[in-house]
Amino acid sequence: MSAGRYAVLKTLAETGSLSETAKKLGMSYRYVWGVVHKIEEVLGEKIVVSERGGRAGGRSVLSPAGVELLRTFERENSEIQNFARYKHIRKPMLTADGVLIKNGKILLIKRKNEPWKGMYALPGGFVEYGERVEDTVLREVFEETGLKASIIALVGIYSSPDRDPRGHIITVAYLLDADIEHAVAGDDAQNVAVFSLDALPPLASDHEKILGDAIKMWKKCNYS
């Protein structure tokens, strides 16, 4: 329903008169009646009914269908206004990272692209729309290392707003199991390498923190 038709119904509900509605909106009586008639044709039922009697000689009021139509428009219009108000709000993005530790060694990728181009990092990437985070980490690990991994445990959620120069990016990190010695670089990985947990290179972003948490979990639970 257009804003003009809404104005007619809203004013009619307030005045109880087609002629007063026309006068208040600066429209002709014929135009107001035409709007009402057109809506009734589309709906297939009356939206305005006449009530007779009283000193004023009767009034025109909205039928139950007319009242419901008015309420529906107001509800939907409110939702549209809320969407317009909030659609420009910046929202965090979500990624998933995998920690692959085996026999005291860890698999890392060397980043091919910015940010942190040329630095080592945990394999991972952005969650796609409609995708579970658990599926994201397994997909990204396969795309970047060629490994089919399995999830052992959740390491943690890392949400500091300044952890990534591209914006507010939250990551969910998982401890994974895979045969890391057979990894092959792919996708946006420049290279893959296996490091001893005692001789790690500088890591991108907050991956040192994530890896530290994962190592504590790995040692505490005696994962192989």
Side-chain angles (χ1 to χ4, degrees), residues 41-171:
E41 276 190 335
V42 173
L43 291 181
E45 58 183 311
K46 300 286 288 184
I47 63 167
V48 176
V49 294
S50 297
E51 290 184 348
R52 300 188 179 280
R55 292 183 178 180
R59 56 200 300 266
S60 297
V61 298
L62 296 181
S63 68
V67 172
E68 181 60 28
L69 179 63
L70 185 63
R71 288 175 178 171
T72 298
F73 180 87
E74 290 175 338
R75 182 170 59 249
E76 292 180 351
N77 188 55
S78 176
E79 291 174 355
I80 291 171
Q81 289 178 345
N82 285 336
F83 175 76
R85 185 179 300 117
Y86 295 115
K87 69 176 181 178
H88 297 301
I89 291 180
R90 298 166 65 188
K91 298 179 181 179
M93 294 175 282
L94 185 63
T95 62
D97 290 310
V99 183
L100 295 105
I101 302 175
K102 198 78 169 180
N103 300 322
K105 297 180 179 180
I106 183 166
L107 176 67
L108 299 173
I109 66 162
K110 179 177 281 189
R111 290 185 58 84
K112 184 188 296 184
N113 305 312
E114 295 291 355
W116 305 294
K117 181 178 180 180
M119 292 190 69
Y120 281 99
L122 299 170
F126 287 96
V127 178
E128 296 180 354
Y129 185 82
E131 185 178 44
R132 298 191 315 158
V133 180
E134 300 94 318
D135 295 331
T136 298
V137 71
L138 298 179
R139 172 181 57 78
E140 287 289 342
V141 166
F142 178 74
E143 291 175 355
E144 295 183 350
T145 70
L147 297 177
K148 291 186 177 181
S150 59
I151 294 176
I152 298 175
L154 172 68
V155 176
I157 299 172
Y158 301 83
S159 60
S160 176
D162 59 356
R163 61 180 299 274
D164 194 305
R166 292 170 292 185
H168 188 182
I169 298 178
I170 299 169
T171 197

Side-chain angles (χ1 to χ4, degrees), residues 3-43:
R5 291 179 178 179
Y6 166 74
V8 168
L9 293 188
K10 179 69 173 176
T11 307
L12 181 57
E14 294 170 350
T15 64
S17 166
L18 289 171
S19 59
E20 285 298 317
T21 296
K23 186 184 299 183
K24 194 168 184 178
L25 295 177
M27 301 173 177
S28 68
Y29 179 90
R30 182 177 180 181
Y31 179 82
V32 170
W33 172 244
V35 168
V36 172
H37 183 65
K38 183 64 176 179
I39 295 174
E40 290 178 338
E41 276 190 335
V42 173
L43 291 181

